[in-house]
Amino acid sequence: EARYQTDKSDQGTVGNTALKKTYTNFLPRVILQWQPTSETNLYVTYAKGNKPGDFNSNLIALTPSQAAEAQAQTGATTFVGEEELDNYEIGLKKSLFDKRLQLNAAVYYMEWLNQQTRTTAVITDLTNPAGIRTVPVTIAAGKTALHGLELEGRWRVTPELTVGSTFNWAASEYKEFLCGFCQRATGISDVSGNETPRFPKYSGTVSADYAAPFGTSKDWFVRGDLIYTGSTWDEAFNLARNPASWRANLRGGVVLDQVRIEAFVTNLFDDDTYLSAARFTDFTLGNFNLNNFVTNVVPADPRKFGLRISVNF
């Protein structure tokens, strides 16, 4: 497959500078597939992706000498280059026992190039009592490697009972990455070797479905899901982790011709682990100081019970 893509970015005009740019890309995808039997599918894929660039509009108001200072320190210019992604994957899809058991496996490697990252330049400013000030900028200078393993299985144990499971291992590493706000928090802007934040290295699920006839033109069903989400870093400086969690959901009901009645409970064991955590500005001190950071968290939804009724026409 091949795609020729044009992205037009327009953020208006700042001063006398038009923040407009067109990005054109040739994005191929290649799939090699081999089916030695009707129950086995082996494949290899390669795909290329992109993300259009951005703009550093705050550089436009600087004097030529200030803009030169910012560029010398960070490499930042008014236009930020686009990101690129090379994705490689090898996989297997296999059916066993007269297709009652389905197994899927995939190994992947991704190289994320020209990754956009925020950093800070210190420029001369004689209007400031300190004689200097900071200017936040975006640069396309990061490089990240991602690799992992995905497993999925589904087994039709009986005509009524089906169980399934998934497992995901997603490893990541900043090969090159300058992080301006990281320097304000840790004193170090180079976070090369760290892991990317807010995505678990390990995750997985276990599920079970049971459905059976219930009189004439009726069926009853029950389903349970157990979901594991591994710990995640809150930010690129890798200082704080949101802990791992186990959450269970349960639902069951009956189907009466066109009417479906379902009772459910989510977060069955009332796990209160935060759903996510991320760096944010600290507003607790009563001032708007972007140099002060906290970790913001999203609380978990408590255990909920409910009844759902739907009608198909």
Side-chain angles (χ1 to χ4, degrees):
E1 301 175 10
R3 183 174 67 201
Y4 180 78
Q5 177 173 298
T6 299
D7 295 293
K8 295 182 179 180
S9 181
D10 185 350
Q11 295 186 11
T13 301
V14 177
N16 295 320
T17 303
L19 300 182
K20 300 179 181 180
K21 197 170 183 64
T22 299
Y23 304 89
T24 57
N25 286 278
F26 172 70
L27 303 174
R29 183 169 71 161
V30 179
I31 303 173
L32 301 177
Q33 179 178 296
W34 179 41
Q35 290 184 273
T37 69
S38 60
E39 293 82 19
T40 305
N41 179 14
L42 298 165
Y43 67 90
V44 178
T45 68
Y46 165 76
K48 192 172 184 66
N50 81 304
K51 176 188 175 185
D54 204 347
F55 304 95
N56 284 310
S57 58
N58 54 351
L59 294 181
I60 297 174
L62 302 181
T63 66
S65 61
Q66 289 174 330
E69 284 184 288
Q71 184 173 6
Q73 293 174 38
T74 65
T77 60
T78 303
F79 298 101
V80 183
E82 60 184 337
E83 301 184 8
E84 300 177 7
L85 182 71
D86 290 310
N87 180 32
Y88 307 85
E89 183 175 325
I90 301 174
L92 164 69
K93 298 180 183 294
K94 179 70 174 177
S95 296
L96 297 167
F97 309 125
D98 197 25
K99 299 185 178 181
R100 289 173 54 196
L101 176 62
Q102 177 69 41
L103 300 174
N104 300 327
V107 178
Y108 63 86
Y109 174 79
M110 301 181 189
E111 194 170 44
W112 190 357
L113 305 174
N114 300 327
Q115 189 174 0
Q116 294 171 9
T117 172
R118 298 282 290 176
T119 188
T120 303
V122 181
I123 63 170
T124 301
D125 186 353
L126 299 181
T127 65
N128 191 310
I132 59 173
R133 67 181 172 94
T134 59
V135 178
V137 293
T138 300
I139 57 176
K143 180 180 178 181
T144 301
L146 307 101
H147 58 275
L149 169 68
E150 295 179 348
L151 300 175
E152 180 182 3
R154 190 168 180 83
W155 180 26
R156 188 79 177 253
V157 183
T158 69
E160 297 80 19
L161 176 64
T162 301
V163 297
S165 182
T166 65
F167 171 78
N168 185 34
W169 169 59
S172 62
E173 180 184 358
Y174 288 122
K175 296 296 185 181
E176 301 171 8
F177 201 81
L178 296 178
C179 173
F181 59 78
C182 294
Q183 185 173 21
R184 299 205 299 271
T186 66
I188 300 173
S189 62
D190 188 352
V191 294
S192 301
N194 285 6
E195 298 177 344
T196 57
R198 296 182 291 279
F199 193 85
K201 190 171 185 178
Y202 300 102
S203 59
T205 64
V206 178
S207 63
D209 276 290
Y210 191 93
F214 180 63
T216 304
S217 301
K218 302 180 183 68
D219 294 294
W220 69 277
F221 62 92
V222 62
R223 177 183 173 93
D225 294 280
L226 184 63
I227 304 168
Y228 173 76
T229 303
S231 63
T232 58
W233 294 111
D234 72 324
E235 198 43 82
F237 37 58
N238 286 187
L239 291 181
R241 280 186 180 273
N242 192 37
S245 67
W246 288 93
R247 287 191 171 87
N249 301 322
L250 186 64
R251 57 188 173 92
V254 61
V255 179
L256 308 171
D257 295 323
Q258 295 174 297
V259 179
R260 179 185 176 97
I261 303 173
E262 178 183 282
F264 64 88
V265 54
T266 58
N267 196 6
L268 178 62
F269 302 112
D270 206 19
D271 187 304
D272 61 0
T273 306
Y274 299 129
L275 294 180
S276 63
R279 172 196 61 87
F280 202 71
T281 300
D282 185 2
F283 295 104
T284 62
L285 300 179
N287 56 43
F288 192 77
N289 188 341
L290 296 177
N291 290 316
N292 296 325
F293 294 141
V294 294
T295 294
N296 273 10
V297 296
V298 178
D301 289 332
R303 179 171 49 225
K304 293 181 180 179
F305 301 88
L307 181 66
R308 184 182 296 117
I309 300 175
S310 58
V311 179
N312 293 324
F313 297 95

